[in-house]
């Protein structure tokens, strides 16, 4: 135990939502953390549950000093839970876990070991997965797309469990649903990302029931795309798309114009005319929105920090 | 702006990326030149995530020389970000930027400083005898330069030259991000700096590979568009967006008049005028769009946390 890295305190932040069997979860977590033989704390964040969950949490916390319970007043989602947990956490290593994804708490030491080996950010990769077939396929498609967009090879970005050092999280700004992209944002800052397989427990899962959630995933892809590539230069993206649309629209209109001039027929009733106009409008609109984006970035450039310093010599 | 009590006379900022063969030679040349320099100085090298061992060489130099400061970025963030780090870390009253590839000659540094003394805020190098390949480097660079000159107010022969000198006040105000390092003089102009140029020496590349390529033309064009906006219309963006909108409205109005003439006087059936009506719609939509975007732009500028171009009234000869 000479390595100071291996003695640093671990804060495990677990987001608790309604319907979780608190007793067994906490029991397994404590068992798994004890096996590490390092100082730790367990922070259970109750995301404004209304059933008996909180009373169970209170009971658990009274028995064990290393467990802290935070209750959020309104449902704040994962970002809120993580932020609240981080505010109370005192460890230099942070493990975050969403209790809903039902990964085996025994896997947490595996994540910690990878951190000790030198990784900056370890994403749990649920394997084998035990939730529904549809969920798995949607997840596969999503991760494939995300991997294509970014340079990282992901199997399970949304796994809801990761371990990292405190300072990494301090460098990342996240809010709202962005919490799902913390691994990506960390990678973008140049931190070394690794994946670690972690077992998923069988049992009841939250299912994606609504088309709304799949829509959300699609929009997430756009978020990833924009965040990782164009967040400092929106016009490179919007301008490109805008010019392509406008040029196609223009080409259509010119074609129709020539068609009419040569006397090949009437064009007034042709849907193509409307299509061309539509594309032109969209194109012009995109360009103007891109310019607004540029102005936003430029006028707020004081807060733009797009680099991450690893080391300074002769400071 | 933060005040550094231990400020020094000169900072040299050099972003490098995979320049293993060049850095120690560059250091020796710099040292040669700077040994004649009477005031304090520092050399800041920003290693933009090199993977070829550049950092180890830099580290070994830095351990011997406390004036040699090395900043390593966690990954390759691009030249703008590297330059921004260097600027932020610099303590000098005057700041020189140069490339780490030995194509710029450190011998020019005293001359640039002299020029700065004459009262300019920015002195940009001009590679009059450029030692690069004609087709892939010089011609695109020439075209880009002409475009930048005509779009922005900056009349320079060679805005792309990395060897430049700045006063600290300018550097403190410039915010580099994205890929704006190509437009440093224009950015300085946005802040109200006075800019001049000076012929500098240029050497062919001896070691390592050039990191430029031709595929960036589109991005450069786009960046130029936004710089034009920043330079000319930052204080009143509604004027820019609004005049575009007025243009669209004007065309729409003319078309309306024409439609009225055709339908009312020439008695064309309205169905035959569908094309014109579509165009009227198109231009009205575009016009309204730009008008409202202009209003949002005004809000954006108002809520932004910066003021432009007011600093340099008092500057120049002090």
């Amino acid at each position: 135990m000479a390595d100071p890295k291996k003695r640093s305190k671990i804060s495990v932040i677990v987001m608790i939502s309604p319907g979780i069997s608190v007793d067994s979860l906490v029991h397994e977590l404590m068992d798994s953390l004890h096996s590490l033989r390092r100082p730790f704390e367990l922070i259970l964040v109750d995301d404004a549950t209304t059933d008996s969950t909180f009373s169970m949490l209170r009971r658990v916390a009274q028995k064990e000093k290393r467990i802290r319970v935070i209750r959020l007043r309104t449902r704040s989602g994962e970002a809120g839970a993580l932020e609240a947990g981080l505010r109370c956490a005192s460890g230099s290593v942070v493990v975050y876990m969403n209790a809903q994804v039902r990964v085996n708490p025994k896997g947490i030491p595996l994540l910690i070991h990878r951190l000790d080996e030198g990784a900056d950010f370890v994403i749990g990769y649920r394997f084998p997965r035990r939730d529904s077939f549809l969920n798995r396929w949607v997840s596969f498609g999503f991760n494939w797309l995300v991997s294509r967009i970014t340079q990282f090879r992901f199997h399970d970005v949304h796994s809801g469990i990761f371990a990292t050092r405190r300072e990494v999280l301090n460098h990342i700004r996240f809010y709202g649903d962005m919490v799902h992209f913390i691994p990506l944002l960390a990678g973008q800052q140049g931190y070394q990302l690794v994946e670690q397989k972690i077992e998923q427990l069988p049992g009841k899962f939250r299912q994606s029931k609504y088309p709304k959630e799949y829509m959300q995933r699609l929009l997430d892809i756009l978020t990833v795309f924009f965040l990782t590539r164009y967040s400092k230069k929106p016009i490179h993206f919007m301008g490109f798309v805008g010019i392509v649309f406008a040029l196609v629209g223009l080409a259509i209109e010119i074609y129709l114009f020539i068609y009419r001039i040569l006397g090949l027929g009437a064009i007034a009733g042709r849907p193509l005319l409307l299509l061309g106009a539509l594309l032109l409008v969209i194109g012009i609109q995109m360009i103007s929105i891109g310019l607004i984006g540029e102005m936003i970035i430029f006028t707020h450039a004081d807060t733009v920090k797009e680099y991450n310093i690893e080391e300074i010599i002769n400071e | 702006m933060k005040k550094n009590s231990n400020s020094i006379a000169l900072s040299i900022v050099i972003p490098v990326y995979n320049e293993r063969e060049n850095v120690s030679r560059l250091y020796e040349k710099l040292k040669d030149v700077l040994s004649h320099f009477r005031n304090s100085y520092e050399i800041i090298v920003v290693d933009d995530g090199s993977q070829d061992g550049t950092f180890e060489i830099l580290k070994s130099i830095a351990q011997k020389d406390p004036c040699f400061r090395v900043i390593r970025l966690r990954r390759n963030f691009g030249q703008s970000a590297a330059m921004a780090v260097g600027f932020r870390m610099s303590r000098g009253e005057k700041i020189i930027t140069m490339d780490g590839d030995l194509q710029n000659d450190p011998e020019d540094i005293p001359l640039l400083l002299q020029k700065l003394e004459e009262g300019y805020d920015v002195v940009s190098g001009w590679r009059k005898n450029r030692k690069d390949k004609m087709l892939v480097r010089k011609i695109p660079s020439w075209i880009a330069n002409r475009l930048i000159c005509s779009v922005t107010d900056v009349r320079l022969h060679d805005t792309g030259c990395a060897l430049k000198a700045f006063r600290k006040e300018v550097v403190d105000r410039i915010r580099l991000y994205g890929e704006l390092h190509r437009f440093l003089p224009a950015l300085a102009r946005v802040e109200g700096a006075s800019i001049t140029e000076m012929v500098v020496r240029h050497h062919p590349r001896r070691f390592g590979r050039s990191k430029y390529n031709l595929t960036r033309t589109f991005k450069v064009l786009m960046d130029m568009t936004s710089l034009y906006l920043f330079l000319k219309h930052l204080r009143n963006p509604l004027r820019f967006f609004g005049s575009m909108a007025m243009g669209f409205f004007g065309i729409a109005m003319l078309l309306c008049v024409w439609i009225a003439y055709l339908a009312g006087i020439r008695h064309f059936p309205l169905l035959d005028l569908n094309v014109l009506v579509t165009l009227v719609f198109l231009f009205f939509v575009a016009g309204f769009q730009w008008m409202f975007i202009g209003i949002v732009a005004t809000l954006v500028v108002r809520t932004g946390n910066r003021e432009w171009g007011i600093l340099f009234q008092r500057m120049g000869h002090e």
Side-chain angles (χ1 to χ4, degrees):
Chain A
M1 287 283 173
D3 189 357
K5 238 184 183 174
K6 295 197 170 159
R7 284 207 310 265
S8 50
K9 187 171 174 182
I10 302 166
S11 299
V12 181
I13 300 168
V14 183
M15 173 173 149
I16 309 279
S17 24
I20 304 265
S21 51
V22 173
D23 284 329
S24 65
L25 176 73
V26 169
H27 184 71
E28 284 168 27
L29 275 167
M30 289 301 278
D31 271 359
S32 143
L33 289 170
H34 272 301
S35 72
L36 275 167
R37 298 171 198 285
R38 283 160 72 152
F40 70 87
E41 62 182 348
L42 181 56
I43 300 172
L44 303 169
V45 185
D46 173 20
D47 190 18
T49 57
T50 48
D51 55 2
S52 60
T53 311
F54 183 66
S55 58
M56 286 195 280
L57 288 173
R58 191 198 301 261
R59 195 154 35 81
V60 173
Q62 274 158 1
K63 277 189 278 184
E64 169 63 60
K65 272 174 96 177
R66 282 174 291 189
I67 296 180
R68 296 215 224 162
V69 174
I70 300 171
R71 181 167 204 198
L72 302 180
R73 206 173 280 278
T74 53
R75 291 208 77 170
S76 314
E78 290 195 73
L82 178 56
E83 208 188 309
L86 277 177
R87 210 167 283 179
C88 302
S90 59
S92 60
V93 172
V94 175
V95 179
Y96 168 77
M97 173 176 165
N98 181 350
Q100 263 178 344
V101 298
R102 291 191 58 83
V103 295
N104 192 342
K106 286 195 179 67
I108 289 178
L110 298 174
L111 302 185
I112 304 283
H113 287 315
R114 294 298 290 275
L115 275 187
D116 288 342
E117 280 167 23
D120 294 311
F121 197 105
V122 188
I123 318 163
Y125 155 30
R126 290 167 288 177
F127 186 87
R129 288 203 49 176
R130 300 198 201 271
D131 47 348
S132 76
F133 191 67
L134 183 63
N135 262 7
R136 269 185 258 178
W137 271 101
V138 171
S139 173
F140 176 78
F142 179 76
N143 284 293
W144 182 79
L145 269 174
V146 170
S147 303
R148 287 296 299 273
I149 292 170
T150 62
Q151 314 87 310
F152 312 108
R153 183 79 189 87
F154 287 113
H155 290 93
D156 200 358
V157 187
H158 273 195
S159 65
I161 177 161
F162 62 77
T164 184
R165 282 177 289 114
R166 182 68 191 250
E167 64 190 77
V168 176
L169 287 178
N170 289 347
H171 275 125
I172 299 170
R173 278 202 224 149
F174 56 89
Y175 50 85
D177 273 349
M178 205 95 89
V179 72
H180 296 142
F181 302 120
I182 285 180
L184 281 177
L185 296 171
Q188 208 193 353
Q189 292 284 309
Y191 292 106
Q192 196 202 338
L193 294 180
V194 295
E195 285 188 319
Q196 170 64 47
K197 282 183 186 173
I198 190 163
E199 192 194 358
Q200 198 173 18
L201 295 170
K204 203 174 113 252
F205 288 98
R206 189 188 63 107
Q207 298 284 346
S208 299
K209 291 191 193 77
Y210 311 104
K212 192 181 138 205
E213 290 202 16
Y214 299 125
M215 282 279 280
Q216 199 59 53
R217 286 290 172 100
L218 277 177
L219 290 175
D220 283 351
I221 301 269
L222 191 63
T223 312
V224 172
F225 184 69
F226 197 76
L227 268 185
T228 52
R229 295 205 177 167
Y230 298 105
S231 60
K232 304 295 181 306
K233 39 204 169 177
I235 193 78
H236 287 183
F237 177 59
M238 313 272 246
F240 178 70
V241 179
I243 284 174
V244 168
F245 271 73
L247 283 180
V248 173
L250 197 64
I252 289 174
E253 300 298 10
I254 288 173
Y255 160 74
L256 288 177
F257 181 71
I258 294 169
Y259 189 82
R260 181 72 186 79
I261 291 293
L262 295 179
L264 296 170
I267 57 170
R270 292 187 66 173
L272 198 58
L273 180 72
L274 280 176
L275 178 68
L278 176 70
L279 290 176
L280 266 173
V281 167
I282 293 176
I284 294 169
Q285 162 145 15
M286 290 282 261
I287 294 167
S288 64
I289 296 275
L291 287 174
I292 272 285
E294 288 283 304
M295 293 190 78
I296 291 176
I297 300 286
F298 188 79
T299 49
H300 294 77
D302 280 351
T303 46
V304 168
K305 182 176 167 287
E306 58 172 337
Y307 52 81
N308 190 311
I309 295 172
E310 186 176 332
E311 198 175 340
I312 302 179
I313 306 173
N314 291 340
E315 179 153 12
Chain B
M1 298 302 118
K2 62 175 193 292
K3 268 267 185 284
N4 266 318
S5 51
N6 52 345
S7 72
I8 50 183
L10 173 67
S11 297
I12 297 169
V13 174
I14 310 169
V16 297
Y17 176 58
N18 290 350
E19 298 282 4
R20 189 176 49 196
E21 295 96 339
N22 291 323
V23 281
S24 44
R25 273 184 197 79
L26 178 67
Y27 171 70
E28 279 153 28
K29 279 184 128 181
L30 274 171
K31 268 296 186 194
D32 265 3
V33 174
L34 291 169
S35 58
H36 307 298
F37 192 68
R38 274 171 285 120
N39 297 318
S40 54
Y41 65 87
E42 63 179 355
I43 303 168
I44 300 175
V45 179
V46 184
D47 176 16
D48 192 12
S50 301
Q51 298 114 19
D52 68 342
T54 306
F55 182 63
E56 279 64 40
I57 301 171
L58 292 173
K59 206 170 177 174
S60 66
I61 300 173
Q63 274 153 5
K64 282 177 273 176
D65 185 351
C67 298
F68 192 80
R69 300 169 65 199
V70 181
I71 297 155
R72 173 153 171 96
L73 301 186
R74 214 168 268 283
R75 69 166 173 85
N76 186 248
F77 282 92
Q79 207 178 342
S80 287
M83 197 80 99
V85 178
F87 281 169
R88 208 162 278 196
M89 293 288 165
S90 65
R91 302 185 184 121
E93 289 301 315
K94 299 191 177 90
I95 288 139
I96 302 256
T97 59
M98 61 190 296
D99 270 347
D101 56 8
L102 283 174
Q103 289 194 272
N104 300 130
D105 196 328
E107 303 268 338
D108 286 320
I109 290 174
L111 303 173
L112 284 169
L113 291 175
Q114 252 173 37
K115 198 84 179 170
L116 215 52
E117 286 297 311
E118 286 172 26
Y120 295 102
D121 301 320
V122 179
V123 182
S124 178
W126 171 16
R127 296 163 289 183
K128 206 170 179 178
N129 293 305
R130 201 170 161 183
K131 304 286 194 299
D132 272 322
K133 287 192 188 101
M134 188 57 118
L135 198 66
V136 290
R137 297 294 303 277
K138 280 165 98 169
I139 291 175
S141 161
W142 182 79
I143 296 170
N145 202 65
R146 288 304 299 270
L147 271 171
I148 293 171
C149 284
S150 57
V151 168
T152 65
D153 269 342
V154 190
R155 302 257 170 262
L156 295 177
H157 287 92
D158 187 12
T159 51
C161 178
L163 188 60
K164 290 188 178 73
F166 300 86
R167 279 171 193 274
K168 184 170 180 53
E169 291 90 332
V170 185
V171 160
D172 278 347
R173 289 182 66 89
I174 292 177
R175 291 287 173 267
L176 266 181
Y177 62 87
E179 285 164 33
L180 291 182
H181 61 272
R182 296 192 196 92
F183 306 100
L184 262 174
L187 281 175
R189 173 70 93 213
V190 175
E191 308 293 348
S194 66
I195 301 162
T196 188
E197 66 183 341
M198 199 191 90
V199 175
V200 295
R201 276 158 277 203
H202 193 244
H203 303 294
R205 188 175 250 280
R206 281 165 66 196
F207 304 99
R209 264 178 346 105
S210 170
K211 283 108 197 165
Y212 293 86
N213 58 47
L214 263 174
T215 55
R216 301 173 176 172
T217 321
F218 176 76
K219 288 180 175 178
V220 172
L221 283 175
M222 284 288 124
D223 282 339
M224 225 142 30
T225 317
S226 19
L227 266 176
Y228 167 76
L229 194 61
F230 300 156
L231 261 168
K232 299 276 172 73
H233 302 289
L234 205 51
R235 299 206 192 157
N236 193 353
L238 190 52
R239 199 174 285 170
F240 169 72
F241 287 101
S243 52
M244 295 289 285
M246 289 303 167
F248 288 131
F249 284 146
I251 299 172
M253 287 302 190
L254 284 179
L255 289 170
C256 280
V257 171
W258 195 17
I259 291 174
Y261 163 74
L262 289 178
I265 296 170
R266 304 272 307 271
H267 300 292
F268 274 62
L270 271 175
L271 196 64
D272 289 356
L273 299 174
N274 233 349
V275 180
L276 288 175
V277 174
T278 310
L279 284 179
V280 169
F281 282 0
L282 172 71
F283 285 113
F284 266 122
V285 169
F288 274 109
Q289 166 81 32
W290 280 70
M291 188 68 102
F292 287 111
I293 289 282
I295 293 170
V296 175
T298 316
L299 289 179
V300 166
V301 174
R302 281 276 165 82
T303 54
N305 38 16
R306 309 191 60 199
E307 291 172 59
W308 290 274
I310 50 167
L311 179 72
F312 293 98
Q313 307 294 323
R314 57 167 184 81
M315 284 190 53
H317 303 273
E318 274 166 318

